[in-house]
Amino acid sequence: MNDRYDAGYGSDQYVLVGYDEYGQPVYRQVPVQQAPQRTYDPYTQQAGYGYDPYATGQQQPVPPYDTGRQQPQPPSYDGYGSYDPHDPYGTAAQGQAPAYDPYGQAASSGRQPRVVPEQTAHIPQQTPHIPQQTPHIPQQAGPAEEAYAPQEAEGQRPAEERDYRTEQFAFVEEPDGDSEDVIDWLKFTENRTERREEARRRARSRIVALVVVLALVAVGGAGYLWYAGKLPGLSSSGGSTAQATAVGAQKRDVIVVHLHNTAKGGTSTALLVDNTTTKQGTTVLLPNSLALTGDDGSTTTLAKSVDDDGASGTRDQLGAVLGTDIQGTWRLDTPYLQNLVELVGNIDIDTNADVPDPDAKKKGASPLVHKGSDQTLSGKMAVAYATYRATGESQNAQLERFGQVMQGVLRKLSSDPAGATVTVQTLAQILDPPLTDKDLGAFLAKLADLAKGGDYKTALLPVQADGTLSASTSDSVVKDILGGTAKSPDAGSAVRVSVQNATGAKDNTEKARVVLLNGGFTFLEGGSASGTRTTSRVVYADAADKENATEVAKTLGLPAGSVAKGTVSSGADVSVVLGTDYRPGAS
């Protein structure tokens, strides 16, 4: 006999789903096309056992089922009753238990099968949610287990087991996720609280930082006002005194460098200043006409002092005039300057003039140095530019070019004291005591670091026509940069000579300037005459200057008959007009 029972109902049209309160089976109708389609479900079949969606306890093994393609076979007698093919429900004998059908169709004791309402057809679509419903299944274990125990007679089971209630088969539609929701809510609340606390901490930190910055700005502003003497209640004189004290208290390292032009003669002088307090470097250019006081108390010029008194004497005289302490003297001849530029790998500066090649054999040749910005100069070009002075230019123009070259060298020099010292030693020059290679290298390395960082400048010391310093013109350099006080010799102690060139040769002005400065005179530029003169003239206005005029003529190599009384240029004691009879170097 086949395990399927379909007489009068079609193949697999009803499936056993439980028992009612009388212990009778309850069926539900299943579409015909679903009867033969039984697929394997890993959640419903395990190790050969059938699956009951309402039971989670131990399940009884069920016979294998067919595929729906075989014809039903007559069932064999099972001991509870005989099979009647004319009975559509397969009713067994009176008082006997119904036969068990593994597919949910069993015989009844003469009653019509009870069909579960139509909504039960939705149960198969809910099976994917069964793993989440396991907490509630143990309540249904009793009835579900008995659904697969057809061997037990109705009278053999206790009454409480046969008392099936509807709520025992109630399906839990929604999973119980309250505990997880509570945990998630606590986490969310905790995270949000922490974020709020962190935001408050950051806000407090910002406020504290802002207050500190405002306090520093206020203190800095008040300090600046006090430094400048602009605070209410402070007089201007008090502010100036405080400022002078602050400037004077700064620490400075100063070295004087003399550039000696070995080819044409003459010198160019500058002070290299390292303000270790303000971290500022400066090249201070000193005109050759700067009046100094000699060792014997007489008045001399910077140019004459370099030639006559040497490094030590000039350093002391400059310190006395400028009111500053100079630690050493660096004599830099033009060949050494050329080597220095080549050692640092050439320099880049903005040139302000075309410089001719001093070695050119014919006029009109291409200039050695071209005017323009960011020009790269070799050693030879740097020397030519640093010593160049065009016709009619003052010595200050040449000094400024020298300052450009020195700053360009510092920008290319090593900022490491050891590396700078090696560069100085490679020059193989003899330094004037007490300056040593190591001291000069360390000093230049600090200036190189300032020059590369943009904390370096060049300043020209303003000098009056008589070579002296005035408080109004020298405060910005002597006081602010050098931290000293100007102490020039008395005015009139150095003879001021104005020179006008009427020889037709442009270089004669420079040659006369060098000779006069070396002679201890103050040189004043008088320009070039419109035409030429055959004879030179040396003129004085005051009889007291006749002797000085005679000395000037002798220094320039002019005859004594060229000296005469007359009108002199403004600011000069003696005026000179150079004629074609002037022979440089004849003195």
Side-chain angles (χ1 to χ4, degrees):
M1 179 178 177
N2 197 323
D3 291 337
R4 294 171 51 188
Y5 178 76
D6 54 7
Y9 295 93
S11 177
D12 293 337
Q13 289 184 341
Y14 295 89
V15 177
L16 178 65
V17 297
Y19 299 87
D20 61 8
E21 64 272 20
Y22 299 102
Q24 299 301 322
V26 179
Y27 301 88
R28 67 173 174 82
Q29 186 175 1
V30 180
V32 177
Q33 59 274 19
Q34 295 181 358
Q37 300 177 356
R38 293 192 178 270
T39 59
Y40 171 74
D41 188 344
Y43 298 96
T44 59
Q45 295 181 357
Q46 298 178 357
Y49 289 88
Y51 172 75
D52 185 354
Y54 300 96
T56 59
Q58 296 181 353
Q59 299 178 351
Q60 300 296 330
V62 296
Y65 57 87
D66 59 9
T67 60
R69 297 186 179 93
Q70 301 178 358
Q71 297 298 328
Q73 301 294 329
S76 62
Y77 179 71
D78 55 5
Y80 291 95
S82 61
Y83 169 72
D84 185 2
H86 299 287
D87 186 357
Y89 300 101
T91 308
Q94 184 68 26
Q96 294 176 342
Y100 172 73
D101 183 36
Y103 295 97
Q105 296 178 351
S108 176
S109 59
R111 295 184 181 181
Q112 295 293 331
R114 181 177 178 182
V115 180
V116 180
E118 184 64 24
Q119 60 270 23
T120 59
H122 297 285
I123 293 177
Q125 286 77 9
Q126 299 173 350
T127 55
H129 302 283
I130 289 176
Q132 290 80 9
Q133 301 167 356
T134 54
H136 304 278
I137 293 179
Q139 300 175 0
Q140 306 168 1
E145 290 177 357
E146 294 181 1
Y148 290 97
Q151 297 85 350
E152 297 182 5
E154 182 178 352
Q156 296 175 355
R157 292 195 296 264
E160 61 273 15
E161 294 181 2
R162 299 195 305 270
D163 188 12
Y164 298 98
R165 294 181 297 277
T166 304
E167 61 269 22
Q168 288 181 300
F169 297 92
F171 188 80
V172 180
E173 293 291 338
E174 297 295 334
D176 186 7
D178 293 342
S179 61
E180 295 183 0
D181 292 342
V182 171
I183 293 174
D184 293 341
W185 171 254
L186 291 176
K187 291 182 179 179
F188 170 74
T189 304
E190 182 180 2
N191 293 337
R192 185 172 60 179
T193 303
E194 291 179 354
R195 288 195 297 269
R196 289 178 177 175
E197 291 296 330
E198 182 64 22
R200 293 191 186 99
R201 286 193 295 269
R202 288 198 298 267
R204 287 194 296 268
S205 300
R206 293 191 185 100
I207 293 174
V208 172
L210 179 60
V211 171
V212 172
V213 170
L214 292 177
L216 292 176
V217 170
V219 173
Y224 172 77
L225 293 176
W226 172 82
Y227 179 83
K230 297 181 180 180
L231 282 178
L234 294 179
S235 63
S236 59
S237 60
S240 300
T241 303
Q243 181 178 0
T245 302
V247 172
Q250 298 173 4
K251 185 179 183 303
R252 300 169 178 83
D253 294 329
V254 183
I255 286 181
V256 58
V257 54
H258 300 295
L259 177 65
H260 288 256
N261 190 343
T262 58
K264 296 182 178 180
T267 59
S268 302
T269 304
L271 297 178
L272 303 180
V273 183
D274 175 23
N275 191 323
T276 59
T277 302
T278 62
K279 307 298 182 182
Q280 176 71 43
T282 309
T283 297
V284 179
L285 305 175
L286 305 179
N288 281 335
S289 60
L290 175 64
L292 301 178
T293 302
D295 294 338
D296 56 357
S298 61
T299 302
T300 185
T301 62
L302 175 60
K304 186 174 180 58
S305 176
V306 173
D307 290 339
D308 295 345
D309 300 330
S312 177
T314 304
R315 181 175 67 248
D316 294 339
Q317 294 171 18
L318 286 173
V321 169
L322 302 175
T324 189
D325 183 22
I326 301 176
Q327 286 79 31
T329 301
W330 181 20
R331 172 168 176 157
L332 185 63
D333 294 348
T334 49
Y336 289 114
L337 175 60
Q338 179 175 338
N339 294 337
L340 178 60
V341 173
E342 293 175 352
L343 284 174
V344 299
N346 298 335
I347 61 175
D348 299 315
I349 61 175
D350 298 334
T351 57
N352 56 21
D354 290 332
V355 179
D357 187 353
D359 297 334
K361 297 181 179 180
K362 60 180 180 179
K363 295 183 179 180
S366 176
L368 178 63
V369 178
H370 293 275
K371 178 180 179 180
S373 60
D374 197 21
Q375 297 291 313
T376 301
L377 304 184
S378 63
K380 180 181 178 180
M381 297 167 66
V383 170
Y385 184 78
T387 58
Y388 177 68
R389 179 183 178 187
T391 302
E393 284 186 339
S394 64
Q395 197 233 346
N396 292 344
Q398 179 265 321
L399 270 179
E400 290 175 355
R401 296 187 183 103
F402 172 49
Q404 286 182 277
V405 171
M406 290 302 300
Q407 189 166 346
V409 169
L410 292 174
R411 281 197 297 262
K412 296 296 292 291
L413 191 67
S414 174
S415 300
D416 178 48
T421 300
V422 171
T423 301
V424 172
Q425 292 174 343
T426 307
L427 291 176
Q429 65 177 141
I430 300 176
L431 300 176
D432 294 327
L435 191 63
T436 64
D437 294 342
K438 185 176 180 180
D439 293 337
L440 181 58
F443 177 78
L444 294 178
K446 292 188 293 182
L447 293 182
D449 186 58
L450 296 175
K452 294 174 184 177
D455 299 320
Y456 201 94
K457 63 181 179 180
T458 300
L460 175 67
L461 178 69
V463 177
Q464 299 184 98
D466 59 356
T468 59
L469 304 174
S470 65
S472 59
T473 60
S474 62
D475 278 355
S476 59
V477 175
V478 177
K479 182 182 295 184
D480 297 342
I481 298 177
L482 300 176
T485 303
K487 299 177 181 179
S488 293
D490 295 336
S493 57
V495 179
R496 294 164 293 182
V497 181
S498 173
V499 178
Q500 185 181 37
N501 187 359
T503 63
K506 297 179 179 180
D507 292 341
N508 285 341
T509 302
E510 174 63 18
K511 294 175 181 179
R513 180 188 70 84
V514 173
V515 172
L516 290 173
L517 290 176
N518 291 337
F521 298 98
T522 299
F523 177 83
L524 301 179
E525 177 66 46
S528 299
S530 56
T532 60
R533 291 176 59 93
T534 57
T535 59
S536 300
R537 292 186 59 192
V538 179
V539 182
Y540 62 92
D542 193 347
D545 292 325
K546 180 180 180 180
E547 183 179 354
N548 293 330
T550 302
E551 185 66 24
V552 167
K554 181 179 179 181
T555 302
L556 292 175
L558 300 177
S562 62
V563 178
K565 185 177 182 180
T567 304
V568 299
S569 302
S570 175
D573 299 320
V574 178
S575 293
V576 177
V577 179
L578 297 178
T580 56
D581 60 342
Y582 171 64
R583 297 289 184 267
S587 58

